[in-house]
Amino acid sequence: MKPFARDDVKAVLARFGIDSAFRVPDVDPSEEIIVLRAADFEVIDPDKVALAIMTVLPNVKVWVIQEHVAWQVEEL
């Protein structure tokens, strides 16, 4: 994800009260997987957050998931 896109996604997440998130690197270029801490994930509607992110990344499928040890992530 390019730096300007990261800033756009961070701005969307901030509207939902999320100040820290991660992404899964090395996925298909047509997808972004945004990983949230369990505490944040439990209080949001992941579909609403994904749709909001898709407004700033219109040509990308977005998945919003809860953190799990199986995912290798990098800070957003």
Side-chain angles (χ1 to χ4, degrees):
M1 180 184 302
K2 298 193 184 299
F4 66 88
R6 286 179 192 261
D7 291 341
D8 290 344
V9 171
K10 287 179 184 178
V12 170
L13 293 172
R15 292 193 334 236
F16 289 90
I18 300 167
D19 61 0
S20 176
F22 304 90
R23 65 182 290 272
V24 177
D26 303 324
V27 295
D28 186 283
S30 68
E31 296 182 327
E32 274 298 332
I33 301 174
I34 306 299
V35 181
L36 302 179
R37 295 178 304 207
D40 289 331
F41 189 84
E42 292 172 1
V43 297
I44 56 100
D45 178 341
D47 292 332
K48 284 184 180 181
V49 175
L51 288 172
I53 293 172
M54 283 190 268
T55 64
V56 297
L57 301 176
N59 298 318
V60 177
K61 281 190 259 179
V62 177
W63 308 96
V64 177
I65 63 171
Q66 183 174 340
E67 65 186 348
H68 188 276
V69 296
W71 293 105
Q72 291 186 355
V73 298
E74 64 183 22
E75 191 145 358
L76 187 59

